[in-house]
């Protein structure tokens, strides 16, 4: 019996059992059905050798992993929504406590002015130019590790400088 036949037979016999398992963890039947289908789809697309002995454990392992991933995503989403709701009301904030993009840029530039020229140049190329360390290294014709060190030094100094305003 090949993998596809084995998986198909297992799906026909144990689909409801797996659906109950996933539903007990999620509480949503629509999402549970999608996860069960995803489990079997992943198995059908897998190129690994599957036997009658390993299939049940593999099915439940995949289902557990997908369910856990969904629960983590849901928890992050709820936490993010909570933070957004809490911070979305700007009542009680004074106009002075809200920074504009221009003020942030000005403070960043003041912090950059305190850096040595070689660190400042690397930091600007990275932040404003969007260049990676390897690209900066080739553009300036300098050693990769040297650029990496200067960027780290600049980041640390800027973080320290900006913490004074936090």
């Amino acid at each position: 019996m090949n993998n596809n036949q084995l998986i198909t037979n297992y799906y026909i016999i144990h689909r409801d059992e797996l659906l109950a398992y996933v539903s007990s963890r999620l509480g949503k039947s629509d999402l549970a059905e999608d996860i069960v289908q995803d489990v079997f789809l992943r198995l059908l697309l897998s190129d690994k050798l599957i036997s009658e002995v390993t299939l049940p454990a593999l099915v439940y392992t995949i289902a557990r992993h997908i369910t856990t991933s969904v629960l983590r995503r849901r928890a992050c989403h709820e936490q993010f929504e909570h933070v957004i709701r809490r911070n979305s009301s700007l009542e009680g904030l004074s106009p002075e406590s809200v920074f504009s993009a221009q003020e942030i840029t000005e403070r960043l530039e003041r912090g950059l002015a305190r850096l040595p020229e070689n660190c400042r140049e690397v930091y600007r190329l990275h932040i404003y130019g969007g260049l990676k360390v390897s690209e900066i290294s080739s553009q300036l014709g300098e050693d990769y590790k040297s650029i990496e060190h200067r960027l780290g030094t600049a980041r640390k100094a800027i973080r320290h400088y900006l913490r004074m305003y936090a």
Side-chain angles (χ1 to χ4, degrees):
M1 185 180 286
N2 70 18
N3 280 353
N4 289 349
Q5 291 172 333
L6 182 66
I7 294 167
T8 303
N9 290 340
Y10 191 88
Y11 177 80
I12 292 168
I13 296 169
H14 298 283
R15 178 194 171 277
D16 293 334
E17 179 184 323
L18 186 62
L19 185 60
Y21 170 78
V22 174
S23 293
S24 70
R25 299 207 168 7
L26 293 177
K28 290 186 176 182
S29 61
D30 295 340
L31 186 56
E33 288 178 15
D34 290 344
I35 289 174
V36 169
Q37 287 178 0
D38 194 32
V39 167
F40 287 102
L41 181 63
R42 287 184 187 191
L43 286 170
L44 288 170
L45 295 175
S46 173
D47 59 347
K48 296 185 174 31
L49 183 62
I50 300 172
S51 70
E52 290 182 33
V53 175
T54 61
L55 183 60
L58 188 58
V59 164
Y60 280 93
T61 300
I62 293 172
R64 187 181 73 238
H65 287 221
I66 295 173
T67 304
T68 303
S69 178
V70 166
L71 290 172
R72 277 191 197 125
R73 219 174 304 125
R74 187 186 293 168
C76 287
H77 182 73
E78 289 171 0
Q79 181 182 11
F80 181 72
E81 280 184 342
H82 175 72
V83 168
I84 293 297
R85 282 190 199 119
R86 187 180 67 207
N87 293 336
S88 67
S89 69
L90 295 177
E91 298 170 15
L93 292 178
S94 66
E96 296 84 30
S97 66
V98 180
F99 291 116
S100 72
Q102 181 182 1
E103 289 173 323
I104 292 171
T105 305
E106 287 172 1
R107 289 183 185 196
L108 181 62
E109 285 299 322
R110 275 188 251 137
L112 280 171
R114 303 170 122 205
L115 295 174
E117 179 59 36
N118 58 359
C119 291
R120 189 178 326 142
E121 181 181 17
V122 169
Y123 192 81
R124 278 199 175 108
L125 287 171
H126 180 69
I127 296 297
Y128 297 130
L131 300 177
K132 297 177 183 174
V133 175
S134 58
E135 295 168 337
I136 296 169
S137 173
S138 64
Q139 183 175 340
L140 297 178
E142 296 185 28
D143 184 44
Y144 179 90
K145 284 294 186 182
S146 172
I147 299 296
E148 189 176 49
H149 176 73
R150 282 193 245 156
L151 181 59
T153 302
R155 283 178 173 161
K156 190 183 295 184
I158 293 297
R159 272 195 306 266
H160 178 61
Y161 178 76
L162 292 176
R163 275 192 196 123
M164 292 188 301
Y165 295 104

